[in-house]
């Protein structure tokens, strides 16, 4: 089959690789019909190379048609249409039954002390072959994949694998009071969807902050109060306060993560690390703080006293410095983590099947064949051509 493989810093290639096969009785094989490109893939593209091997198959946002089921699978049959959550969770352990699928105790990666394994996401998360491929082996066939109806286009469902549950959890964790205010830092796919879900769930003021004009325009067209970080610089904090009665938003969602703009020293450190031999780079990444923390610091500064920070952007350093004095003094609540995809499925399924209040069908900006993945990675990273969400059609 053909798959998108990592081949080095800023290098992905579509290669022919062996087809996956059923290995465990509860495995299924899915023929991928649509698979997303995510901001999380960009961290692998540029920064987290030390944790990948050449040839690793990328991707964690896959849906398609069940081609084959292991002998222990009774919940699905070949021909069913499914979405595949990005967390690899068993559905039956202590964490899974509590809705903490990103901490699944059956798939936690003990070698690195991390939570549940993920599709296509480095040795830190199990080095499991990913979904930017023609075929995907999916374990826990009875409890992990979610069947969706035949008929509506894939765009209706594919965001259930990551974007929708991640944004839903970010808004849930933000705890915006009814009619209250929330600022979303970053208007990539995750931040954009956070603004839509926050408005849908009753926030009174939704502020979106980014520095890419097309992304700001796109949010503005849906009624978001947008602030251009590129133009405002640090005055963005003051601008957010002006929109919220002088106090600052009740909650701030960080949908940016470790590669934030505005952190020149950390940018240089990340560049340097990505040039070091893997073993050395991995040690450095896991011992010191190498994240670009600009967005997180903005969030701490901007949120109102007694407010909540909800962090869905991914960070990777072990000892990143945080402004604890301010966080303590402002009495902040901080919630964060990898999305528990299945936890939110019953909230989200009706929103993509009954009407389309979140605009999922028009959400993707680009649909491209898998063969064009290398150019699509480049475009998405450089934020060219208005690219916000790229979907591959294997
Ligand atoms: N928690 C989870 O389960 C989960 C799931 C998916 C993605 N993520 C993470 O969420 C983050 C966003 O993902 P995405 O797909 O939307 O990625 P993206 O890279 O397309 O979006 C990030 C956006 O942030 C903007 N930005 C950069 N610096 C900024 C700053 N200082 N202030 C405000 N905005 C800034 C960029 O211009 C960009 O538009 C990534 O870190 C990704 O890894 C987390
Ligand atoms: Zn993703
Ligand atoms: Zn589990």
């Amino acid at each position: 089959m053909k798959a998108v493989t990592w081949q080095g810093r800023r290098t992905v290639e579509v290669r022919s690789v062996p087809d996956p096969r059923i290995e465990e009785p509860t495995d299924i094989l899915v023929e991928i019909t649509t698979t997303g490109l995510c901001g999380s893939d960009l961290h692998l593209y540029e920064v987290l190379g030390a944790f990948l091997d050449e040839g690793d198959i990328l991707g964690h946002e896959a849906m398609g048609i069940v081609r084959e089921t292991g002998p222990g699978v009774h919940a699905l049959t070949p021909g069913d249409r499914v979405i595949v959550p990005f967390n690899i969770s068993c559905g039956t352990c202590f964490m899974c039954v509590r809705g903490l699928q990103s901490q699944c105790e059956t798939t936690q990666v003990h070698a690195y002390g991390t939570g549940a394994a993920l599709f296509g996401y480095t040795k830190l998360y199990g080095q499991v072959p990913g979904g930017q491929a023609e075929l995907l082996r999916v374990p826990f066939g009875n409890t992990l994949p979610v069947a969706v109806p035949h008929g509506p286009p894939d765009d209706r469902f594919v965001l259930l694998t990551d974007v929708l549950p991640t944004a839903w959890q970010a808004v849930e964790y933000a705890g915006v009071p009814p009619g209250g205010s929330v600022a979303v830092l970053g208007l990539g796919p995750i931040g954009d969807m956070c603004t839509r879900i926050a408005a849908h769930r009753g926030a009174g003021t939704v502020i979106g902050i980014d520095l890419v004009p097309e992304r700001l325009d796109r949010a503005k067209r849906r009624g978001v109060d947008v602030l251009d970080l590129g133009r405002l610089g640090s005055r963005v904090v003051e601008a957010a306060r002006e929109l919220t009665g002088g106090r600052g938003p009740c909650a701030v969602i960080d949908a940016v993560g470790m590669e934030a703009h505005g952190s020149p020293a950390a940018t240089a450190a990340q560049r340097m690390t990505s040039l070091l031999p893997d073993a050395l780079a991995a040690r450095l990444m896991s011992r010191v703080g190498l994240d670009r923390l600009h967005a997180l610091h903005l969030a701490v500064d901007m949120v109102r006293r007694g407010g909540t920070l909800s962090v869905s952007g991914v960070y990777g350093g072990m000892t990143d410095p945080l402004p604890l004095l301010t966080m303590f003094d402002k009495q902040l609540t901080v919630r964060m983590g990898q999305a528990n995809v299945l936890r939110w499925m019953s909230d989200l399924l009706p929103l993509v099947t009954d009407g389309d209040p979140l605009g999922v069908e028009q959400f993707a900006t680009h649909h491209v064949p898998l063969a064009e993945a290398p150019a699509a990675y480049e475009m998405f990273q450089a934020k060219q051509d208005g690219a916000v969400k790229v979907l591959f059609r294997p």
Side-chain angles (χ1 to χ4, degrees):
M1 68 161 182
K2 295 267 190 270
V4 178
T5 61
W6 185 88
Q7 299 292 344
R9 179 169 169 257
R10 285 203 202 175
T11 313
V12 301
E13 284 174 16
V14 178
R15 293 266 177 100
S16 286
V17 299
D19 285 2
R21 286 177 310 143
I22 300 279
E23 291 171 22
E24 301 290 332
T26 55
D27 284 352
I28 65 168
L29 286 187
V30 180
E31 233 170 71
I32 304 305
T33 52
T34 298
T35 174
L37 174 55
C38 177
S40 296
D41 296 321
L42 294 181
H43 307 322
L44 315 185
Y45 193 56
E46 178 97 34
V47 181
L48 293 178
F51 299 103
L52 288 122
D53 289 328
E54 281 173 29
D56 280 355
I57 301 174
L58 301 175
H60 57 267
E61 302 186 352
M63 70 172 292
I65 304 294
V66 178
R67 174 196 271 191
E68 199 182 327
T69 56
V73 175
H74 49 76
L76 293 167
T77 49
D80 285 346
R81 188 184 196 195
V82 291
I83 63 107
V84 182
F86 77 87
N87 328 105
I88 305 179
S89 54
C90 72
T92 51
C93 73
F94 178 94
M95 292 294 169
C96 282
V97 300
R98 285 163 179 76
L100 289 163
Q101 290 86 358
S102 69
Q103 312 301 325
C104 173
E105 289 181 338
T106 311
T107 71
Q108 280 175 11
V109 182
H110 299 294
Y112 287 92
T114 47
L118 309 175
F119 288 101
Y121 217 76
T122 78
K123 296 171 194 174
L124 294 172
Y125 290 101
Q127 206 169 29
V128 180
Q132 288 167 6
E134 288 175 322
L135 280 171
L136 180 65
R137 179 179 83 90
V138 179
F140 309 114
N142 292 315
T143 46
L144 179 59
V146 179
V148 295
H150 287 278
D154 279 5
D155 285 41
R156 276 279 167 144
F157 302 115
V158 71
L159 303 182
L160 291 168
T161 60
D162 180 343
V163 173
L164 283 166
T166 298
W168 189 272
Q169 179 169 304
V171 172
E172 176 79 20
Y173 284 4
V176 187
S181 52
V182 59
V184 180
L185 291 170
L187 294 171
I190 301 299
D192 183 331
M193 189 55 80
C194 285
T195 63
R196 298 179 189 207
I197 290 174
H200 176 77
R201 293 179 63 174
T205 303
V206 181
I207 302 168
I209 298 166
D210 203 301
L211 21 76
V212 180
E214 292 90 342
R215 294 183 175 199
L216 291 162
D217 285 347
R218 180 171 139 119
K220 193 170 173 189
R221 285 198 298 275
R222 289 188 69 96
V224 175
D225 286 322
V226 297
L227 297 175
D228 182 350
L229 181 67
R231 197 170 57 77
L232 289 165
S234 55
R235 283 178 294 132
V236 77
V237 173
E238 214 35 61
R241 287 197 188 120
E242 273 163 28
L243 291 170
T244 51
R247 290 201 179 88
C250 308
V252 178
I253 295 174
D254 173 350
V256 180
M258 66 173 94
E259 292 178 74
H261 291 265
S263 315
T267 307
Q270 282 179 349
R271 289 268 148 75
M272 188 196 78
T273 325
S274 66
L275 299 174
L276 293 174
D278 280 0
L280 198 61
R283 222 172 329 126
L284 216 72
M285 294 286 290
S286 50
R287 300 247 173 101
V288 298
L290 280 180
D291 290 317
R292 284 144 65 173
L293 295 173
H294 186 254
L296 202 53
H297 283 275
L298 265 187
V300 171
D301 202 5
M302 185 180 296
V303 69
R304 78 153 156 75
R305 288 180 177 274
T308 302
L309 291 187
S310 169
V311 182
S312 60
V314 169
Y315 290 92
M318 278 298 269
T319 56
D320 287 318
L322 288 175
L324 279 176
L325 188 155
T326 309
M327 293 167 79
F328 180 85
D329 179 64
K330 288 181 77 171
Q331 204 168 338
L332 303 187
T333 300
V334 184
R335 294 200 73 183
M336 60 175 88
Q338 208 85 251
N340 303 298
V341 174
L342 287 175
R343 166 75 177 82
W344 312 111
M345 208 46 70
S346 56
D347 295 300
L348 289 165
L349 270 169
L351 297 179
V352 300
T353 49
D354 310 337
D356 185 7
L358 302 175
V360 294
E361 213 171 293
Q362 309 299 327
F363 192 78
T365 51
H366 292 71
H367 297 88
V368 302
L370 201 64
E372 289 167 26
Y377 267 76
E378 236 181 280
M379 170 184 72
F380 181 52
Q381 191 198 34
K383 299 168 181 65
Q384 292 159 342
D385 196 28
V388 179
K389 191 66 188 174
V390 179
L391 297 176
F392 297 119
R393 295 266 154 81

